[in-house]
Amino acid sequence: MMTEASAPGKIILFGEHAVVYGRPAIAIPVSHIRAQAQVHDSQGNQVTVMLPDVERRYQARCDLSDWPGTLPPLLAAVQAVQRHLRLPTLPALAIHVVSAIPIASGLGSGAATAAALIRALLRHLGDPADDATVSNLTYEVEKLHHGSPSGIDNSVVAYERPVYFLRRQPHPRLETVAVAQPLHFLIGNTGVRSATREVVGDVRQQWQARPARFEALFNQCGRIARAAHLALAQGQTERLGRLMHDNHHVLQALTVSSPDLDRLVMAASTAGALGAKLSGGGRGGNMIALTTETNAPTVAAALYHAGATAVLSTTLAPGSV
Ligand code: PMV
């Protein structure tokens, strides 16, 4: 028997970093770039996870008891399912995971590969794999490798819809994002890989050293995300663009931008984008620009001219996700 499932990439529109400290953030799925997992029954007493894209292969005993040290993320995803289903051991399995999502660039590749595997494996073992379960188990895996993630990545890839997200104990609060007008985004990659965990750790150190300043900046991010939630629902596209610029400036003050990101943001604005900002952990990875349908090609060309190594386009349409 074979069972498969997939999960989309994602991009953060507003509120990265501040979301770790309980302020709201907005993220959307990028459904045309995806991770896919296939779970096959196998022979013997081993679970094998194969990642042909990166030529990796992990093999462990079916009860995962023989792995030395910390499990790599996708074996941790297998273990999260095993624990959730309270199985002392799994059957022999061969699991293939492929992904078209660029890694370490803020597009959620880690969360999406884990979510695709978790959904496929839950279904393979007879569980309905509802979105909340997939999201929670993906969060368990993210925690192992990202320190203290806010939970926004696993939520947006598991539910595959735009989310207005608030980190709360014991469970995050997810609100629907109403979209009144189609929105055309370009995602420009700086080509610089950046480890979100390190940037988040550095922001935490600065927050500890200067709590009043960083709390004030996080509050600004929160205000911007709340205003953006409203602007999306009311179809105020130009206001949304201005809010992206405002958010980028606060992210600069949080020290998570970089000359490459600033150059792409500036190039997009000069070419007529309604707004642009870095997206995700920062100091590399991607930026996002809001364009009109007409000027998207001009802005994309400007991004390439300014050094973007890849430009993806994605549209958020009312009721499309
Ligand atoms: O780098 P990304 O896209 O995975 O986003 C990280 C977002 C942060 O707010 C910086 C961290 C988090 O856990 O929310």
Side-chain angles (χ1 to χ4, degrees):
M1 187 170 84
M2 187 277 279
T3 315
E4 59 187 339
S6 69
K10 72 100 219 318
I11 187 111
I12 298 184
L13 290 188
F14 291 97
E16 48 276 274
H17 286 288
V19 66
V20 175
Y21 300 82
R23 274 59 164 199
I26 300 174
I28 60 170
V30 182
S31 292
H32 63 283
I33 47 167
R34 308 187 70 83
Q36 273 162 334
Q38 284 188 344
V39 179
H40 299 260
D41 288 327
S42 174
Q43 304 290 322
N45 62 348
Q46 291 192 309
V47 171
T48 310
V49 179
M50 280 159 277
L51 302 158
D53 298 334
V54 287
E55 294 178 11
R56 291 243 173 90
R57 185 171 195 270
Y58 303 110
Q59 198 154 44
R61 275 218 329 240
C62 285
D63 60 2
L64 301 171
S65 63
D66 60 339
W67 191 269
T70 314
L71 290 172
L74 292 181
L75 277 183
V78 172
Q79 187 178 58
V81 171
Q82 181 201 2
R83 288 187 174 158
H84 174 74
L85 298 176
R86 297 175 203 280
L87 298 172
T89 186
L90 292 161
L93 298 169
I95 302 173
H96 297 252
V97 181
V98 293
S99 170
I101 308 169
I103 56 175
S105 58
L107 287 167
S109 82
T113 49
L117 187 159
I118 286 167
R119 197 183 291 280
L121 183 54
L122 283 168
R123 285 187 185 149
H124 194 80
L125 299 170
D127 185 277
D130 61 83
D131 294 342
T133 304
V134 174
S135 179
N136 291 340
L137 297 182
T138 305
Y139 184 61
E140 293 307 311
V141 178
E142 292 270 288
K143 263 199 308 208
L144 284 177
H145 294 271
H146 295 291
S148 174
S150 63
I152 192 169
D153 278 22
N154 51 283
S155 301
V156 67
V157 306
Y159 288 88
E160 197 165 349
R161 60 173 169 82
V163 294
Y164 179 81
F165 178 94
L166 273 158
R167 184 178 206 178
R168 289 284 179 267
Q169 295 304 341
H171 300 294
R173 209 170 87 205
L174 289 184
E175 288 179 26
T176 311
V177 176
V179 181
Q181 294 283 339
L183 297 168
H184 304 278
F185 293 105
L186 293 173
I187 302 167
N189 196 334
T190 57
V192 178
R193 285 193 183 181
S194 170
T196 296
R197 184 195 179 113
E198 281 165 28
V199 187
V200 169
D202 186 52
V203 169
R204 181 165 298 275
Q205 278 184 4
Q206 296 191 67
W207 169 70
Q208 281 161 349
R210 303 173 71 190
R213 173 165 169 78
F214 275 70
E215 282 293 317
L217 292 170
F218 295 148
N219 282 339
Q220 284 185 39
C221 294
R223 276 197 294 274
I224 291 169
R226 277 191 292 276
H229 195 196
L230 213 66
L232 279 164
Q234 297 178 345
Q236 298 172 334
T237 310
E238 285 177 8
R239 172 151 172 74
L240 210 58
R242 284 195 298 277
L243 290 166
M244 289 173 76
H245 280 304
D246 293 348
N247 200 165
H248 186 70
H249 290 135
V250 186
L251 289 162
Q252 284 176 320
L254 286 170
T255 74
V256 298
S257 194
S258 68
D260 293 316
L261 283 164
D262 289 344
R263 193 171 57 249
L264 296 189
V265 166
M266 180 65 81
S269 308
T270 310
L274 302 171
K277 61 182 278 293
L278 73 84
S279 174
R283 299 203 182 146
N286 281 290
M287 50 72 70
I288 180 162
L290 175 63
T291 68
T292 63
E293 196 172 4
T294 335
N295 75 8
T298 316
V299 177
L303 286 171
Y304 277 119
H305 188 71
T309 53
V311 179
L312 294 171
S313 73
T314 190
T315 299
L316 187 59
S320 67
V321 268

Coordinates of all heavy atoms in Angstrom, one line a residue, residues 70-147:
T70 N 20.2 13.1 18.7 CA 19.0 13.7 18.3 C 18.5 13.2 16.9 O 19.3 13.1 16.0 CB 19.2 15.3 18.2 OG1 19.9 15.7 19.3 CG2 17.9 16.0 18.1
L71 N 17.2 12.9 16.8 CA 16.7 12.5 15.5 C 16.8 13.6 14.5 O 16.4 14.7 14.9 CB 15.3 12.0 15.7 CG 15.0 10.7 16.4 CD1 13.5 10.5 16.6 CD2 15.6 9.5 15.7
P72 N 17.2 13.3 13.3 CA 17.0 14.4 12.2 C 15.5 14.7 12.1 O 14.7 13.9 12.4 CB 17.6 13.7 11.0 CG 17.7 12.3 11.3 CD 17.7 12.1 12.7
P73 N 15.2 15.9 11.5 CA 13.8 16.4 11.5 C 12.8 15.4 11.0 O 11.8 15.2 11.6 CB 13.9 17.7 10.7 CG 15.3 18.1 10.8 CD 16.1 16.9 11.0
L74 N 13.1 14.7 9.9 CA 12.0 13.9 9.3 C 11.9 12.6 10.1 O 10.8 12.0 10.1 CB 12.2 13.7 7.8 CG 12.0 15.0 7.1 CD1 12.2 14.8 5.6 CD2 10.7 15.7 7.3
L75 N 12.9 12.1 10.8 CA 12.7 10.9 11.6 C 12.0 11.4 12.9 O 11.2 10.7 13.5 CB 14.1 10.3 12.0 CG 14.6 9.3 11.0 CD1 15.9 8.6 11.5 CD2 13.6 8.2 10.6
A76 N 12.3 12.6 13.3 CA 11.5 13.2 14.5 C 10.0 13.3 14.1 O 9.2 13.1 15.0 CB 12.1 14.5 14.9
A77 N 9.7 13.6 12.8 CA 8.3 13.7 12.4 C 7.7 12.3 12.5 O 6.6 12.1 12.9 CB 8.3 14.2 11.0
V78 N 8.5 11.2 12.1 CA 8.0 9.9 12.2 C 7.7 9.5 13.6 O 6.6 9.0 14.0 CB 9.0 8.9 11.6 CG1 8.6 7.4 11.8 CG2 9.2 9.1 10.1
Q79 N 8.6 9.9 14.5 CA 8.4 9.6 15.9 C 7.2 10.4 16.5 O 6.5 9.8 17.4 CB 9.7 10.0 16.7 CG 9.6 9.5 18.1 CD 10.9 9.9 18.9 OE1 11.3 11.0 18.9 NE2 11.6 8.9 19.4
A80 N 7.0 11.6 16.1 CA 5.9 12.4 16.6 C 4.6 11.6 16.2 O 3.7 11.6 17.1 CB 5.9 13.8 16.0
V81 N 4.5 11.1 15.0 CA 3.3 10.3 14.7 C 3.2 9.0 15.5 O 2.1 8.7 16.0 CB 3.3 9.9 13.2 CG1 2.2 9.0 12.8 CG2 3.2 11.2 12.3
Q82 N 4.3 8.3 15.7 CA 4.3 7.1 16.5 C 3.8 7.4 17.9 O 2.9 6.7 18.4 CB 5.7 6.5 16.5 CG 5.8 5.2 17.3 CD 7.3 5.0 17.8 OE1 8.2 5.8 17.6 NE2 7.5 3.9 18.5
R83 N 4.3 8.5 18.5 CA 3.9 8.8 19.9 C 2.4 9.3 19.9 O 1.7 8.9 20.8 CB 4.7 9.9 20.4 CG 6.1 9.4 20.7 CD 7.0 10.5 21.4 NE 8.2 9.9 21.8 CZ 9.3 10.6 22.0 NH1 9.3 12.0 21.9 NH2 10.4 10.1 22.4
H84 N 2.0 10.0 18.9 CA 0.6 10.5 18.9 C -0.4 9.3 18.8 O -1.4 9.3 19.5 CB 0.4 11.4 17.7 CG -1.0 11.8 17.5 ND1 -1.6 12.8 18.3 CD2 -2.0 11.4 16.6 CE1 -2.9 12.9 17.9 NE2 -3.1 12.1 16.9
L85 N 0.0 8.3 18.0 CA -0.9 7.1 17.9 C -0.6 6.1 19.0 O -1.2 5.1 19.0 CB -0.7 6.5 16.5 CG -1.1 7.4 15.3 CD1 -0.7 6.7 14.0 CD2 -2.5 7.8 15.4
R86 N 0.3 6.4 19.9 CA 0.7 5.5 21.0 C 1.0 4.1 20.5 O 0.6 3.1 21.0 CB -0.5 5.4 22.0 CG -0.8 6.7 22.7 CD -2.0 6.6 23.6 NE -2.7 7.8 23.8 CZ -2.3 8.8 24.7 NH1 -1.2 8.6 25.4 NH2 -2.9 9.9 24.8
L87 N 1.9 4.1 19.5 CA 2.3 2.8 18.9 C 3.7 2.5 19.5 O 4.6 3.3 19.4 CB 2.4 2.8 17.4 CG 1.1 3.1 16.6 CD1 1.4 3.4 15.2 CD2 0.2 2.0 16.8
P88 N 3.9 1.3 20.1 CA 5.2 0.9 20.6 C 6.2 0.8 19.5 O 7.4 1.1 19.6 CB 5.0 -0.4 21.3 CG 3.6 -0.9 21.0 CD 2.8 0.3 20.4
T89 N 5.7 0.4 18.3 CA 6.6 0.3 17.2 C 5.8 0.5 15.9 O 4.5 0.4 15.9 CB 7.3 -1.1 17.1 OG1 8.3 -1.1 16.1 CG2 6.3 -2.2 17.0
L90 N 6.5 0.9 14.8 CA 5.8 1.1 13.6 C 6.0 -0.1 12.7 O 6.9 -0.9 12.9 CB 6.4 2.3 12.8 CG 6.2 3.7 13.5 CD1 7.2 4.7 13.0 CD2 4.8 4.2 13.2
P91 N 5.2 -0.3 11.6 CA 5.5 -1.3 10.7 C 6.7 -0.9 9.8 O 7.1 0.2 9.9 CB 4.2 -1.4 9.8 CG 3.5 -0.1 10.0 CD 3.9 0.4 11.3
A92 N 7.2 -1.9 9.1 CA 8.4 -1.5 8.2 C 7.8 -0.6 7.1 O 6.8 -0.8 6.5 CB 9.0 -2.8 7.6
L93 N 8.6 0.6 6.9 CA 8.1 1.6 6.0 C 9.2 2.2 5.2 O 10.4 2.3 5.6 CB 7.5 2.8 6.8 CG 6.2 2.5 7.6 CD1 6.0 3.7 8.5 CD2 5.0 2.2 6.8
A94 N 8.9 2.5 3.9 CA 9.8 3.3 3.1 C 9.1 4.6 2.8 O 8.0 4.6 2.2 CB 10.2 2.6 1.8
I95 N 9.7 5.7 3.2 CA 9.1 7.0 3.0 C 10.0 7.9 2.1 O 11.2 8.1 2.4 CB 8.9 7.7 4.4 CG1 8.1 6.8 5.4 CG2 8.3 9.1 4.3 CD1 8.0 7.3 6.8
H96 N 9.3 8.5 1.1 CA 10.1 9.4 0.2 C 9.5 10.8 0.4 O 8.3 11.0 0.3 CB 9.8 9.0 -1.3 CG 10.3 7.6 -1.6 ND1 11.4 7.4 -2.4 CD2 9.8 6.4 -1.3 CE1 11.6 6.1 -2.5 NE2 10.6 5.4 -1.8
V97 N 10.4 11.7 0.5 CA 10.0 13.1 0.6 C 10.7 14.0 -0.4 O 12.0 13.9 -0.5 CB 10.3 13.7 2.0 CG1 9.8 15.1 2.2 CG2 9.6 12.8 3.1
V98 N 10.0 14.7 -1.2 CA 10.6 15.6 -2.2 C 10.0 17.0 -2.0 O 8.9 17.1 -1.5 CB 10.4 15.1 -3.7 CG1 11.1 13.9 -4.0 CG2 8.9 15.0 -4.0
S99 N 10.8 18.0 -2.4 CA 10.2 19.3 -2.1 C 10.8 20.3 -3.2 O 11.9 20.2 -3.6 CB 10.7 19.8 -0.8 OG 10.4 21.2 -0.6
A100 N 9.9 21.2 -3.6 CA 10.2 22.2 -4.6 C 10.4 23.5 -3.9 O 10.6 24.6 -4.5 CB 9.2 22.3 -5.7
I101 N 10.4 23.5 -2.5 CA 10.5 24.7 -1.8 C 12.0 25.0 -1.4 O 12.7 24.2 -0.8 CB 9.7 24.6 -0.5 CG1 8.3 24.1 -0.8 CG2 9.7 25.9 0.3 CD1 7.5 23.7 0.5
P102 N 12.5 26.2 -1.8 CA 13.9 26.5 -1.5 C 14.2 26.4 0.0 O 13.3 26.8 0.7 CB 14.1 27.9 -2.0 CG 13.0 28.2 -2.9 CD 11.8 27.3 -2.5
I103 N 15.3 25.8 0.4 CA 15.5 25.7 1.8 C 16.2 27.0 2.4 O 16.8 27.7 1.7 CB 16.3 24.4 2.2 CG1 17.7 24.4 1.5 CG2 15.5 23.2 1.9 CD1 18.5 23.2 1.9
A104 N 16.0 27.1 3.7 CA 16.6 28.2 4.5 C 16.4 29.6 3.9 O 17.3 30.4 3.8 CB 18.1 27.9 4.7
S105 N 15.2 29.8 3.3 CA 15.0 31.1 2.7 C 13.7 31.7 3.2 O 13.1 32.6 2.5 CB 15.1 31.0 1.2 OG 14.2 30.1 0.8
G106 N 13.1 31.2 4.2 CA 11.8 31.8 4.7 C 10.6 31.3 4.0 O 9.5 31.9 4.2
L107 N 10.7 30.3 3.2 CA 9.5 29.8 2.5 C 8.9 28.5 3.2 O 8.1 27.9 2.7 CB 9.8 29.5 1.1 CG 10.0 30.8 0.2 CD1 10.6 30.5 -1.1 CD2 8.7 31.5 0.1
G108 N 9.4 28.2 4.4 CA 8.8 27.2 5.2 C 9.1 25.8 4.8 O 8.3 24.9 5.0
S109 N 10.2 25.5 4.1 CA 10.5 24.2 3.6 C 10.5 23.1 4.7 O 10.0 22.0 4.6 CB 11.8 24.2 2.8 OG 12.9 24.1 3.6
G110 N 11.1 23.5 5.9 CA 11.2 22.5 7.0 C 9.8 22.1 7.5 O 9.5 21.0 7.6
A111 N 9.0 23.1 7.7 CA 7.6 22.9 8.2 C 6.8 22.1 7.1 O 6.1 21.1 7.5 CB 6.9 24.2 8.5
A112 N 7.0 22.4 5.9 CA 6.2 21.8 4.8 C 6.6 20.3 4.6 O 5.8 19.4 4.5 CB 6.3 22.5 3.5
T113 N 7.9 20.0 4.6 CA 8.3 18.6 4.5 C 7.8 17.8 5.7 O 7.3 16.7 5.5 CB 9.9 18.5 4.3 OG1 10.5 19.2 5.3 CG2 10.4 18.9 3.0
A114 N 7.9 18.4 6.9 CA 7.5 17.6 8.1 C 6.0 17.4 8.0 O 5.4 16.3 8.2 CB 7.8 18.4 9.3
A115 N 5.2 18.5 7.6 CA 3.7 18.4 7.6 C 3.3 17.4 6.5 O 2.4 16.6 6.7 CB 3.1 19.7 7.3
A116 N 4.0 17.3 5.3 CA 3.6 16.4 4.3 C 3.8 15.0 4.8 O 3.0 14.1 4.6 CB 4.4 16.7 3.0
L117 N 5.0 14.8 5.4 CA 5.3 13.4 5.9 C 4.3 13.0 7.0 O 3.8 11.9 7.0 CB 6.7 13.4 6.5 CG 7.3 12.0 6.9 CD1 8.8 12.0 6.9 CD2 6.8 11.5 8.2
I118 N 4.0 13.9 7.9 CA 3.1 13.6 9.1 C 1.7 13.3 8.5 O 1.1 12.3 8.9 CB 3.1 14.8 10.1 CG1 4.5 14.8 10.8 CG2 1.9 14.7 11.0 CD1 4.7 16.0 11.6
R119 N 1.2 14.1 7.6 CA -0.1 13.8 7.1 C -0.2 12.5 6.3 O -1.1 11.7 6.5 CB -0.6 14.9 6.1 CG -2.1 14.9 5.9 CD -2.5 16.0 5.0 NE -2.4 17.4 5.4 CZ -3.3 18.0 6.2 NH1 -4.3 17.3 6.7 NH2 -3.1 19.3 6.5
A120 N 0.9 12.2 5.5 CA 0.8 10.9 4.8 C 1.0 9.7 5.7 O 0.2 8.7 5.6 CB 2.0 10.9 3.8
L121 N 1.8 9.9 6.7 CA 2.0 8.7 7.6 C 0.8 8.5 8.5 O 0.4 7.3 8.8 CB 3.3 9.0 8.5 CG 3.7 7.9 9.4 CD1 3.8 6.5 8.7 CD2 5.0 8.2 10.1
L122 N 0.2 9.6 9.0 CA -1.0 9.4 9.8 C -2.1 8.7 9.0 O -2.7 7.7 9.5 CB -1.6 10.8 10.2 CG -0.9 11.5 11.4 CD1 -1.4 13.0 11.5 CD2 -1.2 10.8 12.7
R123 N -2.3 9.1 7.8 CA -3.3 8.5 6.9 C -2.9 7.0 6.6 O -3.8 6.1 6.6 CB -3.4 9.2 5.6 CG -4.2 10.5 5.7 CD -4.4 11.1 4.4 NE -5.0 12.4 4.4 CZ -4.8 13.4 3.6 NH1 -4.0 13.2 2.5 NH2 -5.4 14.5 3.7
H124 N -1.7 6.8 6.4 CA -1.2 5.4 6.1 C -1.5 4.5 7.3 O -1.8 3.3 7.1 CB 0.3 5.4 5.9 CG 0.8 4.2 5.2 ND1 0.7 3.9 3.9 CD2 1.5 3.1 5.7 CE1 1.3 2.8 3.6 NE2 1.7 2.2 4.7
L125 N -1.5 5.1 8.5 CA -1.8 4.2 9.7 C -3.2 4.3 10.1 O -3.6 4.0 11.2 CB -0.8 4.7 10.8 CG 0.7 4.5 10.4 CD1 1.6 5.2 11.5 CD2 1.1 3.0 10.3
G126 N -4.1 4.9 9.3 CA -5.5 4.9 9.5 C -6.1 6.0 10.3 O -7.3 6.1 10.6
D127 N -5.3 7.1 10.5 CA -5.8 8.3 11.2 C -6.3 9.3 10.2 O -5.7 9.4 9.1 CB -4.6 8.9 12.0 CG -5.0 10.0 12.9 OD1 -5.1 11.2 12.4 OD2 -5.3 9.8 14.1
P128 N -7.4 10.0 10.5 CA -7.9 11.0 9.5 C -6.9 12.2 9.2 O -7.1 12.9 8.2 CB -9.2 11.5 10.1 CG -9.1 11.1 11.6 CD -8.2 9.9 11.7
A129 N -6.0 12.4 10.1 CA -5.0 13.5 9.9 C -5.7 14.8 9.7 O -5.5 15.5 8.7 CB -4.1 13.2 8.7
D130 N -6.4 15.2 10.7 CA -7.1 16.6 10.6 C -6.0 17.6 10.7 O -4.9 17.4 11.2 CB -8.2 16.8 11.7 CG -7.6 16.6 13.1 OD1 -7.1 17.6 13.6 OD2 -7.6 15.5 13.6
D131 N -6.3 18.8 10.2 CA -5.3 19.9 10.1 C -4.7 20.3 11.5 O -3.5 20.5 11.6 CB -6.0 21.2 9.5 CG -6.4 21.0 8.1 OD1 -5.9 20.0 7.5 OD2 -7.2 21.8 7.6
A132 N -5.5 20.3 12.5 CA -5.0 20.7 13.9 C -4.0 19.6 14.3 O -2.9 20.0 14.9 CB -6.2 20.7 14.9
T133 N -4.2 18.4 14.1 CA -3.2 17.3 14.5 C -1.9 17.5 13.7 O -0.8 17.4 14.3 CB -3.8 15.9 14.3 OG1 -5.0 15.9 15.1 CG2 -2.9 14.8 14.8
V134 N -2.1 17.7 12.4 CA -0.9 17.8 11.5 C -0.1 19.1 12.0 O 1.1 19.0 12.1 CB -1.3 18.0 10.1 CG1 -0.1 18.3 9.2 CG2 -1.9 16.7 9.6
S135 N -0.8 20.1 12.3 CA -0.1 21.4 12.8 C 0.6 21.1 14.1 O 1.8 21.5 14.2 CB -1.2 22.5 12.9 OG -0.6 23.7 13.4
N136 N -0.1 20.5 15.1 CA 0.5 20.3 16.4 C 1.8 19.4 16.3 O 2.8 19.7 16.9 CB -0.5 19.6 17.3 CG -1.6 20.6 17.7 OD1 -1.4 21.8 17.6 ND2 -2.7 20.1 18.2
L137 N 1.7 18.3 15.5 CA 2.8 17.4 15.4 C 4.0 18.1 14.7 O 5.1 17.9 15.0 CB 2.4 16.1 14.8 CG 1.4 15.3 15.5 CD1 1.1 14.0 14.8 CD2 1.8 15.0 16.9
T138 N 3.6 18.9 13.7 CA 4.7 19.6 12.9 C 5.4 20.6 13.9 O 6.6 20.8 13.8 CB 4.1 20.3 11.7 OG1 3.4 19.4 10.9 CG2 5.2 21.0 10.9
Y139 N 4.6 21.2 14.8 CA 5.2 22.1 15.7 C 6.2 21.4 16.6 O 7.3 21.9 17.0 CB 4.1 22.8 16.6 CG 4.6 23.8 17.5 CD1 5.2 24.9 17.1 CD2 4.4 23.7 18.9 CE1 5.7 25.9 18.0 CE2 4.9 24.6 19.8 CZ 5.5 25.7 19.3 OH 6.0 26.7 20.2
E140 N 5.8 20.2 17.1 CA 6.8 19.4 17.9 C 8.1 19.2 17.2 O 9.2 19.3 17.8 CB 6.2 18.0 18.2 CG 5.0 18.0 19.1 CD 5.2 18.8 20.4 OE1 6.2 18.5 21.0 OE2 4.3 19.6 20.7
V141 N 8.1 19.0 15.9 CA 9.3 18.8 15.1 C 10.1 20.1 15.0 O 11.3 20.2 15.2 CB 9.0 18.2 13.7 CG1 10.3 18.0 12.9 CG2 8.3 16.9 13.8
E142 N 9.3 21.2 14.7 CA 9.9 22.5 14.6 C 10.7 22.9 15.8 O 11.7 23.5 15.8 CB 8.9 23.5 14.2 CG 8.2 23.4 12.9 CD 9.0 24.2 11.8 OE1 8.9 25.4 11.8 OE2 9.7 23.5 11.0
K143 N 10.0 22.6 17.0 CA 10.6 23.0 18.3 C 12.0 22.3 18.5 O 12.9 22.9 19.0 CB 9.7 22.5 19.4 CG 8.8 23.6 19.9 CD 8.2 23.3 21.3 CE 7.5 22.0 21.4 NZ 6.5 21.9 22.4
L144 N 12.1 21.1 18.0 CA 13.4 20.4 18.2 C 14.6 21.1 17.5 O 15.7 21.1 18.0 CB 13.3 19.0 17.6 CG 12.6 17.9 18.4 CD1 12.5 16.6 17.6 CD2 13.3 17.7 19.8
H145 N 14.2 21.7 16.3 CA 15.3 22.2 15.5 C 15.4 23.7 15.4 O 16.3 24.3 14.9 CB 15.2 21.6 14.1 CG 15.5 20.1 14.2 ND1 16.8 19.6 14.1 CD2 14.7 19.1 14.5 CE1 16.7 18.3 14.3 NE2 15.4 17.9 14.5
H146 N 14.3 24.4 15.9 CA 14.3 25.8 15.8 C 14.2 26.6 17.1 O 13.9 27.7 17.2 CB 13.2 26.3 14.9 CG 13.4 25.8 13.5 ND1 14.3 26.3 12.7 CD2 12.7 24.8 12.8 CE1 14.3 25.7 11.5 NE2 13.3 24.8 11.6
G147 N 14.5 25.9 18.2 CA 14.5 26.6 19.5 C 13.1 26.8 19.9 O 12.3 25.9 20.3

